[in-house]
Amino acid sequence: MIRMFTTHTIRPVEELDGIWEFEPITRGQDFPSHYRYKMSVPGVWEMHPGFARYRGLGAFRRLIEVRMQQNLRVAFAGVSHTADVYWDGKLAAHHYNAYTGFEFVIEQVPPGSHELVIVVDNAFHDQSTLHIANDYYTYGGIIRPVSMETVGPVFVAAIRFTPIWDGSAWSAEIGVGVRSLATEGQRIRVVAQLGSHHIALVDSEIGGRATTWFTSIHRFTDVSSWSPDQPTLYLLRLELFSGEDQEPCDDLIDRVGFRSVSVDADAVAINGEPIMIRGFNRHEDYPGVGSALTVPLMVQDMELLRDLGANAIRTSHYPNDQRFLDLCDEYGMLVWEEHHARDFNLTHMQQPLFETQITESTREMVTKHANHPAIVIWGIFNECASDSLPGRAMYEQQLNLIRSLDGSRPLSYATHHRDRDRCLDLVDIVSFNLYPLWYTEEDPAELFCAARGWADSLGGLGKPLIISEMGADGFYGFRDGSAGLGSEERQRDILIRDIVAALSERVAGMFIWQFADCRVSEGRDWLFRRAMGQNSKGVVDRYRRPKLAYQAVQELYRQAAKNPNQGSPSGER
Ligand code: ADA
């Protein structure tokens, strides 16, 4: 399943999910002459007993039968982390970064059997500046769905939908990219349908061998708003007509919602309603399937998050699977989505490939995910070099890029630099990662109050404050009446004090670190010596079994949901 809804009813689509052939290879080696293993796509090779800890290169192969000559558009939603795709032995696409998709078109494919080989790399090396050993695990494999579509000489390449609230009614800016594979220019029409609205979107000449963008603003009188309580969604169906044809030759369907996001000094507001963010940070990770979560597991996470009383998720620290974002749209779960960056110091950020790779991660995230109403904040650079002037220039560059691609959402980044941060004036929401009572002995309420002070004196005055991370390790099953270090009791007690402090300090919101325990890289550094090879700050363990903190967080989050304007819901325990 590529998305949680049908994206084409005219364009033929075949999902290439299933069992592919697999063979590990070494750098510089030719394609394997035979493939000894089978792998699930989507999947991670770590689920295979022979590759449970494999870090390196592997070739995936699949034969494609084509019945008649056609143009094929192949779309990979996520390959971890570098992909070189070969069609009948010829390089068709190269892509870096596990967490955003890519696609390519093979023209005039003749009937017969064709070979699709994809060489996947999950190794850490100087060609990979975003995937490094980190406090989460970079798995290997084709981790998200693969699809193959038949496209004509002209097709809809992309839709962009931005809702606009003018104070009394909804309109939306609709962008459509039409791609022509023909050498000659031609006349096309695009018609849009959304609910009861039918719109003649485009009637124009387009040039050959190019993607032409058309953007226009339309008023929608007969629609309801999307909100966390009433997440009303609409299918936006575009049909493309070529020349004088009366029948459409292609279509593209996306799912959209009408909502606005704004900020003031105290809060993030959806449709003008201030919302206290009761969030969790979440990694895409589950035993056995790694980062290739199945739909039932995504739904399970969503149900658990709702059960916990959460209304928001931060996709720490990379763009998420679009099917999970689809679920967020459906459940009314607010999303802070961030590009792929965790804990890069200035030296790291100054590596030759870094700027290109992070810029692509930002661009792909925004252009591919901007239509999700659930995404209400774009984030960049978690705990990177926002404490230096060269770092600031890089923050500014990424923020400017996002603003140029989508000016409709507030921007933020999570910092741990406290009063040394130098970028708070650049964003719309000020966010601090703080671990009182865990990494430091500070009192949570005093610390969050101090954070407001740092923000106010460093360019964040008048901007809402989010505690983007707070939490503590708690090892599942380690119960200890004296609440010893790493016990479920200690974790629960710290989280209670964190949440109560955040609520009483009137921050705009909080994201607990973290929803579920996750596997982490192993290595020599202290970070990579984490016990059990995992980050154990989840309120559920890797199998989603609740720890003691679960019920405590649930109680506080649910009370906060009922009394959004009161500070501490239940006082200290
Ligand atoms: C950081 C980081 C998280 C995680 C956390 C922790 O704040 O942003 O990815 O590593 O610390 O558990 O220490």
Side-chain angles (χ1 to χ4, degrees):
M1 183 189 280
I2 300 156
R3 299 288 299 272
M4 295 297 191
F5 55 93
T6 301
T7 49
H8 302 278
T9 54
I10 298 173
R11 186 187 304 179
V13 182
E14 188 187 336
E15 297 192 11
L16 299 185
D17 298 356
I19 301 300
W20 290 43
E21 297 171 273
F22 177 77
E23 183 67 27
I25 59 172
T26 51
R27 209 164 295 280
Q29 182 191 329
D30 278 349
F31 294 147
S33 50
H34 66 294
Y35 291 76
R36 288 171 292 166
Y37 304 96
K38 295 189 191 313
M39 283 288 171
S40 165
V41 172
V44 298
W45 58 51
E46 286 81 358
M47 70 173 64
H48 190 294
F51 301 95
R53 316 174 72 75
Y54 182 62
R55 193 160 291 289
L57 292 159
F60 289 77
R61 176 176 183 263
R62 174 172 175 145
L63 292 180
I64 310 268
E65 298 303 326
V66 173
R67 279 198 296 137
M68 51 191 170
Q69 179 158 312
Q70 57 192 280
N71 304 318
L72 292 175
R73 179 177 180 273
V74 184
F76 287 86
V79 178
S80 184
H81 57 61
T82 297
D84 284 297
V85 187
Y86 298 86
W87 181 268
D88 288 339
K90 283 220 302 253
L91 186 67
H94 169 83
H95 184 262
Y96 173 69
N97 203 350
Y99 306 119
T100 39
F102 62 98
E103 50 283 312
F104 58 91
V105 173
I106 310 279
E107 294 179 45
Q108 308 290 334
V109 177
S113 183
H114 298 272
E115 186 190 57
L116 183 57
V117 171
I118 166 158
V119 175
V120 180
D121 181 7
N122 79 335
F124 302 137
H125 44 65
D126 59 5
Q127 301 298 299
S128 167
T129 63
L130 307 181
H131 286 278
I132 59 171
N134 220 325
D135 203 14
Y136 56 89
Y137 201 84
T138 292
Y139 291 91
I142 301 172
I143 63 169
R144 294 178 185 167
V146 189
S147 56
M148 189 175 73
E149 306 160 358
T150 301
V151 290
V154 59
F155 62 94
V156 183
I159 305 179
R160 190 57 194 281
F161 178 89
T162 312
I164 304 164
W165 176 250
D166 69 4
S168 60
W170 285 111
S171 47
E173 184 179 90
I174 301 181
V176 49
V178 180
R179 179 161 171 197
S180 168
L181 303 175
T183 38
E184 304 291 305
Q186 64 179 302
R187 186 149 206 97
I188 54 112
R189 284 185 302 122
V190 180
V191 172
Q193 192 205 330
L194 185 155
S196 62
H197 295 260
H198 294 262
I199 304 163
L201 213 55
V202 180
D203 186 351
S204 175
E205 287 288 327
I206 57 164
R209 303 218 60 82
T211 300
T212 310
W213 271 92
F214 301 92
T215 303
S216 47
I217 293 181
H218 304 272
R219 208 169 167 79
F220 291 89
T221 46
D222 186 20
V223 292
S224 305
S225 305
W226 182 99
S227 70
D229 293 335
Q230 287 280 320
T232 309
L233 293 169
Y234 293 92
L235 290 177
L236 170 61
R237 181 188 303 269
L238 300 194
E239 288 187 346
L240 173 69
F241 298 78
S242 167
E244 299 306 314
D245 290 355
Q246 293 307 303
E247 288 300 315
C249 60
D250 189 45
D251 67 344
L252 180 54
I253 303 164
D254 205 347
R255 211 174 50 176
V256 299
F258 292 85
R259 57 102 193 85
S260 67
V261 193
S262 54
V263 298
D264 66 18
D266 299 317
V268 176
I270 306 299
N271 304 326
E273 286 269 317
I275 300 235
M276 161 54 92
I277 293 174
R278 311 178 306 273
F280 276 95
N281 287 279
R282 174 178 174 272
H283 271 297
E284 292 181 319
D285 192 38
Y286 198 96
V289 297
S291 51
L293 262 71
T294 61
V295 170
L297 290 173
M298 292 180 199
V299 175
Q300 182 186 35
D301 278 3
M302 188 60 73
E303 290 292 343
L304 287 168
L305 286 156
R306 292 233 307 189
D307 186 57
L308 277 158
N311 64 358
I313 294 172
R314 177 169 168 240
T315 69
S316 49
H317 300 295
Y318 37 78
N320 271 200
D321 190 313
Q322 273 208 276
R323 294 168 303 171
F324 187 70
L325 298 173
D326 285 340
L327 278 180
C328 292
D329 291 340
E330 281 179 33
Y331 279 75
M333 187 65 72
L334 303 175
V335 177
W336 160 328
E337 183 159 74
E338 63 192 25
H339 72 189
H340 183 199
R342 181 197 171 276
D343 192 20
F344 298 140
N345 62 26
L346 187 58
T347 314
H348 187 89
M349 293 169 85
Q350 287 172 332
Q351 288 182 62
L353 280 178
F354 184 81
E355 187 182 325
T356 320
Q357 295 187 334
I358 194 66
T359 300
E360 259 329 273
S361 170
T362 308
R363 186 188 304 283
E364 291 180 338
M365 169 179 80
V366 177
T367 54
K368 288 175 185 294
H369 295 177
N371 293 348
H372 289 280
I375 298 177
V376 293
I377 300 170
W378 293 124
I380 61 164
F381 291 136
N382 175 74
E383 297 191 351
C384 296
S386 54
D387 58 338
S388 73
L389 286 179
R392 178 184 163 92
M394 296 165 114
Y395 275 64
E396 211 165 358
Q397 190 188 35
Q398 296 303 311
L399 294 166
N400 287 342
L401 172 62
I402 298 180
R403 288 197 175 103
S404 73
L405 297 169
D406 174 28
S408 74
R409 291 165 167 99
L411 310 186
S412 195
Y413 65 91
T415 178
H416 62 322
H417 292 301
R418 299 181 166 217
D419 60 350
R420 299 178 313 282
D421 203 280
R422 288 166 172 242
C423 299
L424 300 177
D425 60 313
L426 300 177
V427 283
D428 308 300
I429 300 170
V430 175
S431 304
F432 288 98
N433 292 350
L434 297 166
Y435 286 85
L437 305 173
W438 183 251
Y439 289 130
T440 66
E441 282 312 318
E442 294 151 295
D443 172 75
E446 284 171 20
L447 187 61
F448 298 164
C449 181
R452 183 69 264 178
W454 306 327
D456 291 350
S457 61
L458 291 169
L461 191 66
K463 300 178 183 181
L465 168 70
I466 287 179
I467 307 299
S468 35
E469 292 182 24
M470 56 188 203
D473 282 86
F475 289 89
Y476 180 80
F478 172 30
R479 301 284 172 94
D480 177 12
S482 69
L485 190 66
S487 65
E488 290 192 33
E489 287 85 353
R490 173 81 69 99
Q491 180 197 30
R492 176 198 60 196
D493 294 349
I494 292 174
L495 275 175
I496 289 172
R497 289 195 50 197
D498 283 347
I499 297 170
V500 168
L503 291 170
S504 61
E505 289 307 318
R506 295 288 172 86
V507 301
M510 69 202 91
F511 290 91
I512 290 171
W513 188 271
Q514 61 178 337
F515 167 59
D517 294 347
C518 66
R519 183 173 173 182
V520 304
S521 310
E522 288 178 38
R524 292 254 161 257
D525 187 78
W526 74 268
L527 183 65
F528 308 126
R529 316 284 306 169
R530 286 204 190 278
M532 291 162 38
Q534 63 177 41
N535 185 309
S536 301
K537 297 189 185 68
V539 300
V540 295
D541 78 345
R542 293 189 65 203
Y543 292 94
R544 278 44 175 178
R545 294 175 296 193
K547 303 181 192 172
L548 283 180
Y550 187 102
Q551 208 188 335
V553 171
Q554 181 186 57
E555 199 179 306
L556 290 167
Y557 268 11
R558 285 186 178 183
Q559 284 179 33
K562 279 196 218 128
N563 309 303
N565 299 319
Q566 291 169 18
S568 166
S570 57
E572 299 283 337
R573 292 202 207 186

